[in-house]
Amino acid sequence: MQLSASSPVDATLNHWAERLRARLDVPVLVRWKGGSGLKLGQFDSPRVTLDIRDATGAAALLSPSLDNLGEAYVEGHLDVTGTVQDIIDIAHRLAAAGGGAEGDKASWMGRMVRKVADARHHSKSEDRAAIHYHYDVSNAFYAEWLDPAMVYSCAYFETGTETLEQAQQKKIDHILTKLRVEPGQRLLDIGCGWGALVLRAAQQFGARCVGITLSQNQFELATERVKAAGLQDRIEIRLQDYRDVTETFDCITSVGMCEHVGLKNLEAYFRIIHDRLAPGGWALNHGITSTDADNAETSHGGGRFIDRYVFPQGELPHISWVLSTLQRGGLEPVDAESLRRHYARTLQCWSDNFEAKGEGLKALVDDKKWRIWRMYLVGCQWAFEHDEISLFQVLCRRAGQSATSLPWSRKFMYGGA
């Protein structure tokens, strides 16, 4: 099926569709100005329908990288009908088919230029602004699709049958068990979110906790939750940069923080953790990692979309970079555990919740923000499922200590001796 070539856009889209069908067979219908549309494959009913609203939307489709398609969607130049899982799958297939040798070369050159010219200093004011942009959308918005404790990081599905709520509690317990938190110990949670980890550490493990965040919304709600639990004497929530903490702690947790620190700053970040960690203490870094050994962004421009619309200044290190900078920062990595499958499942739960609460969420944020988060959640799910990104928990302590203070096995991490 072809559009009537009544305009240059019609003719260009017809030619593009003909070339694409030679390489790809997808159940997609592309419509321009509400016309009958172009089929991009052999099918009776389309799984995805793309409505091009203007020439900018057409240009994005003709150069279908993930950042081009994502930008056109969130800015309203493209409308998409279909399940969100089908939409992201088709977007990746279009992006892959729309590339070529020149496109791959340009993408590689672009990554190298950005790597060499990286000017992200991650000053305190820049980091505060980035955190505000992402986390201060509204507490009500996040509460709609997160679990009741509002844990905004990878859950831990011990058997794969847990609910999201159960898996998030298991994740927190998994972290605190790895750290062997004992009653009366002081724990610092860097990037404490809405307070779920410090609440659990105080209530179930008897720790005295300090949680820090740069998000005003998180600070206020976490403070309210501590007060409601009657734990003001054991938990302190601070609106504070990690670089301004001066005390020492028996245990330190860093969950979802290293992604915001910046590749150039990871060694200094881990050095601060080292300096804040008491002799004999333990720390755990839980963070998203790149699966590219050179810390490159994800394929087809997905990383650029997230940097522009979701996580300003976010940078993903490869696990090798995490381990080497951690060691140079004065810490000894004792255990590293991949939770890639767990984050794919977590994001599926979030995305399913987001889709189910779609109309209610639209009342909380504008259409652009709703579109951004919709594509971000399912896009990240796809990336974890397809080994584009991963997540590791790294248990560590101050380097240079005696081997006799190390456990013989990993049993203690799972409730054993």
Side-chain angles (χ1 to χ4, degrees), residues 128-139:
R128 190 179 303 110
I131 293 299
H132 171 74
Y133 174 83
H134 186 85
Y135 293 100
D136 288 341
V137 179
S138 83
N139 289 337

Side-chain angles (χ1 to χ4, degrees), residues 350-376:
W350 289 345
S351 181
D352 288 348
N353 290 345
F354 195 96
E355 293 299 296
K357 300 289 185 67
E359 293 307 312
L361 288 167
K362 288 179 180 179
L364 296 173
V365 294
D366 60 36
D367 185 64
K368 179 176 176 178
K369 189 74 73 175
W370 180 84
R371 289 182 178 222
I372 289 171
W373 253 254
R374 187 186 189 212
M375 288 299 105
Y376 155 64

Side-chain angles (χ1 to χ4, degrees), residues 28 225 346:
V28 176
R225 288 180 161 182
T346 302

Side-chain angles (χ1 to χ4, degrees), residues 85-399:
Q85 300 292 338
D86 284 343
I87 290 169
I88 199 66
D89 177 62
I90 293 298
H92 275 272
R93 293 171 71 179
L94 289 175
E102 291 185 5
D104 292 341
K105 181 179 179 181
S107 177
W108 177 84
M109 290 178 65
R111 289 199 300 270
M112 292 304 102
V113 169
R114 281 189 292 275
K115 187 174 181 180
V116 172
D118 182 11
R120 296 173 177 177
H121 301 295
H122 289 269
S123 68
K124 293 179 182 179
S125 60
E126 290 171 337
D127 285 351
R128 190 179 303 110
I131 293 299
H132 171 74
Y133 174 83
H134 186 85
Y135 293 100
D136 288 341
V137 179
S138 83
N139 289 337
F141 172 77
Y142 284 105
E144 283 293 300
W145 48 273
L146 295 176
D147 66 295
M150 295 178 67
V151 183
Y152 188 29
S153 54
C154 175
Y156 179 66
F157 294 85
E158 188 175 10
T159 66
T161 61
E162 295 86 354
T163 65
L164 177 61
E165 180 178 2
Q166 291 169 336
Q168 289 293 15
Q169 182 171 300
K170 283 180 180 289
K171 182 271 297 296
I172 293 173
D173 287 350
H174 193 41
I175 290 173
L176 298 175
T177 301
K178 282 184 176 184
L179 290 169
R180 289 176 285 185
V181 178
E182 297 178 359
Q185 288 188 326
R186 296 198 74 212
L187 180 147
L188 171 66
D189 187 21
I190 304 175
C192 67
W194 291 277
L197 188 146
V198 290
L199 283 165
R200 185 74 175 170
Q203 290 170 327
Q204 299 298 319
F205 290 77
R208 294 180 295 117
C209 307
V210 173
I212 61 172
T213 178
L214 292 178
S215 163
Q216 184 69 39
N217 285 358
Q218 289 184 340
F219 167 75
E220 292 175 357
L221 183 54
T223 300
E224 290 176 12
R225 288 180 161 182
V226 169
K227 184 177 180 180
L231 292 170
Q232 302 97 310
D233 60 328
R234 292 160 65 183
I235 301 175
E236 179 186 2
I237 304 297
R238 300 177 186 170
L239 195 62
Q240 186 177 37
D241 191 285
Y242 67 89
R243 288 161 282 202
D244 295 331
V245 178
T246 58
E247 309 98 306
T248 57
F249 298 84
D250 302 296
C251 305
I252 297 177
T253 52
S254 170
V255 180
M257 260 298 298
C258 70
E259 302 94 322
H260 299 290
V261 167
L263 298 176
K264 291 180 177 179
N265 302 317
L266 268 182
E267 180 180 340
Y269 178 66
F270 290 130
R271 174 61 64 179
I272 289 173
I273 290 178
H274 167 277
D275 293 345
R276 301 280 69 82
L277 195 60
W282 290 86
L284 185 138
N285 185 74
H286 169 118
I288 302 172
T289 56
S290 170
T291 55
D292 184 280
D294 296 319
N295 303 322
E297 66 179 32
T298 55
S299 64
H300 307 307
R304 293 193 295 275
F305 172 81
I306 289 177
D307 183 64
R308 182 182 306 134
Y309 286 107
V310 186
F311 276 114
Q313 302 227 70
E315 297 177 86
L316 300 184
H318 188 262
I319 182 59
S320 61
W321 186 253
V322 173
L323 294 174
S324 62
T325 53
L326 187 146
Q327 191 82 60
R328 289 197 295 270
L331 296 168
E332 175 192 11
V334 173
D335 184 85
E337 180 177 14
S338 170
L339 297 181
R340 179 165 73 90
R341 183 177 186 182
H342 298 255
Y343 218 164
R345 175 61 178 150
T346 302
L347 283 152
Q348 181 184 358
C349 292
W350 289 345
S351 181
D352 288 348
N353 290 345
F354 195 96
E355 293 299 296
K357 300 289 185 67
E359 293 307 312
L361 288 167
K362 288 179 180 179
L364 296 173
V365 294
D366 60 36
D367 185 64
K368 179 176 176 178
K369 189 74 73 175
W370 180 84
R371 289 182 178 222
I372 289 171
W373 253 254
R374 187 186 189 212
M375 288 299 105
Y376 155 64
L377 292 175
V378 73
C380 286
Q381 177 194 337
W382 193 100
F384 277 103
E385 286 177 346
H386 292 82
D387 198 24
E388 290 268 339
I389 50 179
S390 189
L391 182 135
F392 281 86
Q393 287 186 351
V394 181
L395 180 66
C396 56
R397 63 177 190 163
R398 283 189 169 198

